[in-house]
Amino acid sequence: MEFPDYVKAKKRTNEKILNENYEFNINLRDLGKDKTYYLKTYGCQMNEHDSENIKAMLENMGFTAIDDYETADLVILNTCSIRENAHNKAFGMLGRLKHIKENNNPNLIVGLCGCMAQEEGVIDEIVHKYKWVNFVIGTHNLHHLPEVLNLSIENNKQEVEVFSKEGSIIEGIPVKRDSKYKAYVNIIYGCDKFCTYCIVPFTRGKQRSRNGKDIIREVEELVKDGYQEVTLLGQNVNAYGKDFDYDYNMENLLEDVAKTGIKRIFFMTSHPWDFTDGMIDVIAKYDNIMPFIHLPVQSGSSRILKLMGRRYTKESYIELFDKIKEKVPGVVISTDIIVGFPGETEEDFKETLDLVEHCKYDSAYTFIYSPREKTPAAALTNQVDEKVKEERLQRLNELINKYSLESNEKILDKTVPVLVDGISTKKGELFGYTNTKKLVNFTGDESLIGKIVNVHITDVKTWSIDGESVE
Ligand code: 5AD
Ligand code: SF4
């Protein structure tokens, strides 16, 4: 049993991060024979990719995936801590699972992993009030899933294994990718930025980069397997390589990934602080690095940015934004914005609207500030009233929507390349993404799935883009 501890989780040391290889305990290969599993994923792409690892580990033990948690033998929740609603959703699901375990399936095994597993308060609650949850496994030791699951079954009691401090980087964890054409590739784990509202540096640990050669090998294999697209993942990808004792950074990595010849490269998320001129030049130079950048601003008020610990001002952000727009032809930039950070005044909020007016973002994720356990901002006494937060979110969204529509209108009547994902469930048409991550529904033949095809855009709205393939 090992429980999360925030004091340890917050500590950053210069200890060298080791690389280890995943080893599968072959004795567990039949643990899931004739058994089914249901995996529910909450949160970001990092979690989605972790779930691809979880699926492979489970299937290597003989478990079979099903879509219905009511009849599954094993249910795992891969959770998210970023805002309270993600947290509430997972607890809501636990309530439903408790009901199933009590009434229909007493042998149901329930496991919890992901960011919530790293939260002191959550684990306290699970251990004391959710004794029927069979196991909890943290983000740093996800590769122990087979052993932890096995222990909880063998001992027939709740097993909690959560390391507060990050361990080694584990290479070779099996993966069952959701797509045959596009893939997530982790490049850096953790975050050292400690923005004052954010729980991620506690739940995901110290910033640590994967070796370049391991990343390149993975991308080369994806190319061989016919993959068209990779998204390089990290909480802050621009910090890539900062923890190496040799010179190799995001600019170098982007260039080396571009040279593998993979057709499309995306990367996310970028913190404005670490975005170098060298990176901008590489993005502009290679046709296979997509002209799409997610550049969270969080607020347009320099006063609030300082309180958030973001390390840039409104002015320096705009300078970076304008430079990227100027140097990368046709670039599309999206952002994240939080409204209602403690102490945010109407004046501060207007600064955010003003910044949006300047940047005219192609798209944006907007959030109401949500206090998170033990983060510095949660302790501030001048929290903004819920009604004010909601009203600000609505005003912000109106402006964001206006510019999203304007951005979509730029491709109306144009022919753009689209990587075809599949058949859209609603319309029965094909769907796919442009090289600036715009979702397009279009008519075309099923044989186009998995290919990059030219689509003529016939109609655009704020939330949808329609077209027809012109092959
Ligand atoms: N409240 C609201 N939004 C948050 N984010 C991170 N922490 C919080 C919080 N406590 C948002 C930020 C970040 C995105 C992933 O989630 O905008 O960029
Ligand atoms: Fe959270 Fe800031 Fe790190 Fe992003 S950069 S994960 S917002 S602490």
Side-chain angles (χ1 to χ4, degrees):
M1 290 281 196
E2 186 150 353
F3 293 57
D5 173 342
Y6 272 177
V7 175
K8 281 193 208 154
K10 211 175 155 185
K11 239 184 219 136
R12 294 296 185 262
T13 67
N14 287 331
E15 253 170 71
K16 200 169 155 44
I17 298 289
L18 301 173
N19 278 249
E20 285 176 48
N21 283 319
Y22 173 81
E23 277 175 43
F24 177 54
N25 178 351
I26 201 80
N27 298 329
L28 302 180
R29 83 187 142 194
D30 288 331
L31 193 72
K33 197 165 173 269
D34 302 326
K35 295 209 167 87
T36 56
Y37 76 92
Y38 174 89
L39 173 63
K40 173 85 186 156
T41 310
Y42 302 86
C44 66
Q45 288 94 346
M46 199 75 79
N47 264 17
E48 278 176 37
H49 188 39
D50 284 348
S51 282
E52 294 182 329
N53 292 133
I54 294 171
K55 284 177 204 164
M57 285 189 279
L58 293 177
E59 292 184 22
N60 286 353
M61 288 186 280
F63 286 97
T64 312
I66 54 166
D67 289 338
D68 178 12
Y69 62 83
E70 301 207 11
T71 56
D73 297 302
L74 165 68
V75 175
I76 297 185
L77 308 185
N78 189 10
T79 60
C80 167
S81 307
I82 200 95
R83 279 169 295 275
E84 190 161 6
N85 59 351
H87 175 280
N88 291 346
K89 272 188 208 157
F91 271 106
M93 185 67 179
L94 281 180
R96 287 195 286 283
L97 293 172
K98 183 176 186 218
H99 182 82
I100 293 171
K101 210 164 163 161
E102 280 173 353
N103 297 290
N104 317 30
N105 182 6
N107 297 325
L108 172 66
I109 295 174
V110 176
L112 187 131
C113 62
C115 287
M116 279 171 67
Q118 296 291 143
E119 284 188 68
E120 277 180 1
V122 169
I123 297 312
D124 197 50
E125 213 170 329
I126 299 281
V127 169
H128 293 107
K129 296 195 201 138
Y130 292 74
K131 292 195 170 89
W132 55 271
V133 169
N134 300 74
F135 69 94
V136 178
I137 185 162
T139 59
H140 301 318
N141 52 322
L142 191 58
H143 58 290
H144 287 173
L145 175 68
E147 278 81 12
V148 173
L149 171 60
N150 181 48
L151 264 184
S152 76
I153 295 173
E154 234 174 42
N155 300 339
N156 194 23
K157 68 173 182 54
Q158 190 177 69
E159 194 60 45
V160 178
E161 190 186 277
V162 181
F163 301 161
S164 303
K165 194 173 169 310
E166 62 291 326
S168 310
I169 289 181
I170 312 294
E171 291 296 335
I173 303 180
V175 59
K176 185 175 183 233
R177 298 189 188 274
D178 292 337
S179 164
K180 291 196 191 78
Y181 326 113
K182 43 189 211 178
Y184 291 128
V185 174
N186 284 326
I187 63 166
I188 179 168
Y189 302 97
C191 180
D192 287 353
K193 286 284 180 287
F194 286 102
C195 299
T196 58
Y197 50 81
C198 186
I199 200 165
V200 168
F202 298 86
T203 59
R204 290 280 175 172
K206 172 174 136 166
Q207 201 165 275
R208 52 217 193 276
S209 309
R210 271 181 84 192
N211 283 333
K213 63 174 181 7
D214 291 325
I215 298 168
I216 298 302
R217 194 183 308 129
E218 185 173 344
V219 177
E220 281 170 349
E221 267 168 30
L222 289 165
V223 174
K224 256 191 243 149
D225 291 344
Y227 277 80
Q228 310 267 6
E229 179 182 304
V230 289
T231 300
L232 308 177
L233 283 185
Q235 305 296 346
N236 174 16
V237 290
N238 307 5
Y240 177 78
K242 280 182 187 249
D243 51 320
F244 291 155
D245 50 13
Y246 51 94
D247 232 6
Y248 191 74
N249 57 25
M250 186 59 179
E251 178 188 332
N252 308 129
L253 179 72
L254 270 178
E255 185 146 32
D256 286 343
V257 175
K259 285 180 184 160
T260 63
I262 185 104
K263 296 253 176 60
R264 291 175 155 205
I265 301 160
F266 290 103
F267 56 93
M268 67 183 352
T269 293
S270 295
H271 189 295
W273 171 259
D274 298 307
F275 217 112
T276 62
D277 287 356
M279 271 178 66
I280 302 176
D281 292 340
V282 170
I283 297 163
K285 179 172 162 194
Y286 288 92
D287 286 345
N288 56 347
I289 303 180
M290 296 295 100
F292 171 86
I293 294 168
H294 185 59
L295 196 67
V297 66
Q298 313 298 1
S299 168
S301 154
S302 296
R303 191 183 78 85
I304 295 292
L305 287 170
K306 194 158 185 210
L307 292 170
M308 287 176 161
R310 290 292 289 180
R311 309 168 194 217
Y312 54 83
T313 59
K314 178 184 188 184
E315 290 72 27
S316 64
Y317 179 92
I318 288 179
E319 199 182 305
L320 172 67
F321 182 97
D322 290 348
K323 194 166 20 174
I324 297 173
K325 280 269 171 185
E326 185 198 316
K327 287 196 173 176
V328 184
V331 71
V332 154
I333 302 183
S334 67
T335 200
D336 290 343
I337 299 174
I338 298 175
V339 298
F341 183 85
E344 184 190 71
T345 62
E346 177 63 20
E347 278 316 299
D348 292 316
F349 177 64
K350 280 194 178 136
E351 294 266 351
T352 298
L353 295 180
D354 181 60
L355 176 122
V356 172
E357 294 274 7
H358 177 92
C359 296
K360 302 182 172 50
Y361 289 107
D362 297 276
S363 67
Y365 298 94
T366 54
F367 309 107
I368 284 182
Y369 168 72
S370 168
R372 307 314 296 132
E373 185 187 30
K374 302 269 169 77
T375 55
L380 296 172
T381 49
N382 48 354
Q383 300 289 328
V384 176
D385 185 79
E386 281 307 314
K387 273 215 182 94
V388 175
K389 286 189 198 171
E390 267 160 36
E391 178 254 354
R392 284 184 190 160
L393 183 72
Q394 207 177 338
R395 279 157 72 200
L396 175 62
N397 283 345
E398 271 166 32
L399 197 60
I400 293 291
N401 293 348
K402 174 178 147 195
Y403 290 120
S404 292
L405 180 60
E406 273 185 22
S407 168
N408 290 347
E409 280 167 347
K410 284 185 200 152
I411 59 169
L412 182 62
D413 283 332
K414 299 232 162 71
T415 298
V416 295
V418 170
L419 172 55
V420 189
D421 251 301
I423 298 172
S424 105
T425 40
K426 266 194 215 140
K427 297 189 168 180
E429 293 178 344
L430 296 176
F431 76 99
Y433 289 86
T434 66
N435 60 0
T436 56
K437 268 208 194 291
K438 287 182 190 289
L439 172 64
V440 182
N441 285 296
F442 59 100
T443 52
D445 193 81
E446 259 181 58
S447 62
L448 300 179
I449 294 173
K451 297 190 177 132
I452 297 172
V453 301
N454 285 324
V455 173
H456 183 72
I457 304 299
T458 52
D459 188 29
V460 298
K461 301 201 175 67
T462 311
W463 304 116
S464 67
I465 301 177
D466 292 323
E468 50 201 27
S469 84
V470 293
E471 293 297 288

